[in-house]
Amino acid sequence: MKRVIAIDGPSGAGKSTIAKMLAQRLNFRFLDTGALYRAVALYLKSSGLNEDSPDKEILSHLKMIKIFFENEDICIAYDSCNGGILDYSLCISVTEEIRSPEIGHYASIFSARQPVRDFLFSIQREVAFYDDVVAEGRDMTTVVFPDAWKKFYLDASETERAKRRYLQLKAKNLNITFQEALDDIRKRDERDLNRPIAPLRIAEDAIYIDTTNKGPEEVIEFIIDALKPGS
Ligand code: DC
């Protein structure tokens, strides 16, 4: 395995921004695992599945796809239903579609399901066979890369995280109030922290960073310092 910088934390703590910038700075690959969960959720939802669907049904649907991604581009290759052979020419980009609040909601629901976590586990691990990687999500430091080179847990106050989500969605011209953004953050925290499988936890060997009153550059500098030998 190559060097992995694993970053976990709740929604809106700044993980994506920090991980992306850090990867660029260090020339590591950026692995946005939330995007993978979102892509799977989009696929399952558009296949008619929901929170009540049994594991068996989720599993049989997941056997019909492969997910490809490079930086922020992500696409799903579908089984052509022709003898069970995946037709890679049917790879459909979902890069934009997965960013909607609706898909974020379904990602939060389907990410609590074992077949979904099993399906994405090996895809995530595989990235680190070939490249140094900055991986961010909810279980990078605890489940997917317990053997990571360095681990960080990014956090921020609930109000700050809701404010960031509100501004992010407003910038995309989405109609949302601050209260709705706050409610969304609370619901996701509740699900991410309390699910029985791979709940969000602070790994014992992770460095905790409160980003509430810090800009991205300040957080990056702190992380870069922490990567230096002997620190
Ligand atoms: O970081 P995000 O909002 O794009 O993540 C979408 C959902 O996926 C979020 O509700 C939690 C889930 N997720 C997860 O369970 N494990 C990960 N490693 C990454 C995301």
Side-chain angles (χ1 to χ4, degrees):
M1 196 172 85
K2 301 268 190 170
R3 282 176 301 175
V4 175
I5 299 173
I7 303 178
D8 283 328
S11 287
K15 300 184 301 292
S16 291
T17 309
I18 300 297
K20 202 187 307 173
M21 286 169 69
L22 188 64
Q24 264 170 7
R25 182 103 169 240
L26 300 173
N27 204 17
F28 280 31
R29 191 164 167 191
F30 167 49
L31 177 60
D32 172 0
T33 61
L36 299 177
Y37 282 94
R38 284 167 180 267
V40 165
L42 172 68
Y43 164 68
L44 293 175
K45 193 216 153 237
S46 47
S47 306
L49 276 69
N50 59 39
E51 52 259 67
D52 299 323
S53 302
D55 280 1
K56 218 171 132 191
E57 202 180 334
I58 292 180
L59 190 60
S60 67
H61 273 82
L62 291 175
K63 282 186 179 154
M64 293 193 280
I65 57 160
K66 271 203 187 315
I67 293 189
F68 296 96
F69 53 96
E70 186 62 48
N71 294 320
E72 282 158 273
D73 291 326
I74 182 156
C75 79
I76 302 178
Y78 292 86
D79 186 343
S80 60
C81 296
N82 183 10
I85 298 163
L86 285 170
D87 184 347
Y88 297 115
S89 67
L90 290 179
C91 201
I92 295 172
S93 171
V94 294
T95 308
E96 294 298 325
E97 224 178 326
I98 58 170
R99 294 295 159 196
S100 73
E102 189 197 9
I103 296 307
H105 167 76
Y106 281 100
S108 172
I109 287 178
F110 284 118
S111 64
R113 303 297 296 271
Q114 192 69 59
V116 172
R117 301 210 79 85
D118 292 346
F119 174 73
L120 290 177
F121 179 82
S122 42
I123 294 177
Q124 295 168 92
R125 289 276 313 174
E126 206 173 301
V127 176
F129 291 154
Y130 306 104
D131 296 305
D132 290 328
V133 54
V134 181
E136 63 98 350
R138 304 294 189 288
D139 61 345
M140 296 300 98
T141 59
T142 51
V143 177
V144 180
F145 298 112
D147 46 356
W149 175 48
K150 295 280 176 188
K151 299 182 183 181
F152 297 92
Y153 187 96
L154 298 194
D155 206 354
S157 72
E158 194 182 67
T159 314
E160 174 67 19
R161 294 189 289 119
K163 194 175 97 192
R164 288 176 189 168
R165 180 156 304 268
Y166 169 72
L167 292 174
Q168 204 179 32
L169 294 174
K170 273 280 173 203
K172 287 185 183 168
N173 286 326
L174 286 160
N175 199 10
I176 186 167
T177 63
F178 175 77
Q179 189 57 47
E180 283 165 348
L182 183 62
D183 291 345
D184 181 54
I185 287 278
R186 285 182 176 154
K187 275 192 211 125
R188 277 169 189 242
D189 282 358
E190 162 72 21
R191 273 197 291 263
D192 291 349
L193 290 161
N194 296 320
R195 66 182 174 216
I197 310 160
L200 175 63
R201 291 279 179 274
I202 307 175
E204 265 180 28
D205 49 350
I207 299 172
Y208 180 93
I209 308 173
D210 184 346
T211 70
T212 306
N213 293 310
K214 294 186 179 75
E217 282 303 339
E218 196 181 338
V219 179
I220 299 278
E221 288 311 322
F222 180 87
I223 292 179
I224 298 224
D225 266 354
L227 297 177
K228 288 180 185 151
S231 56

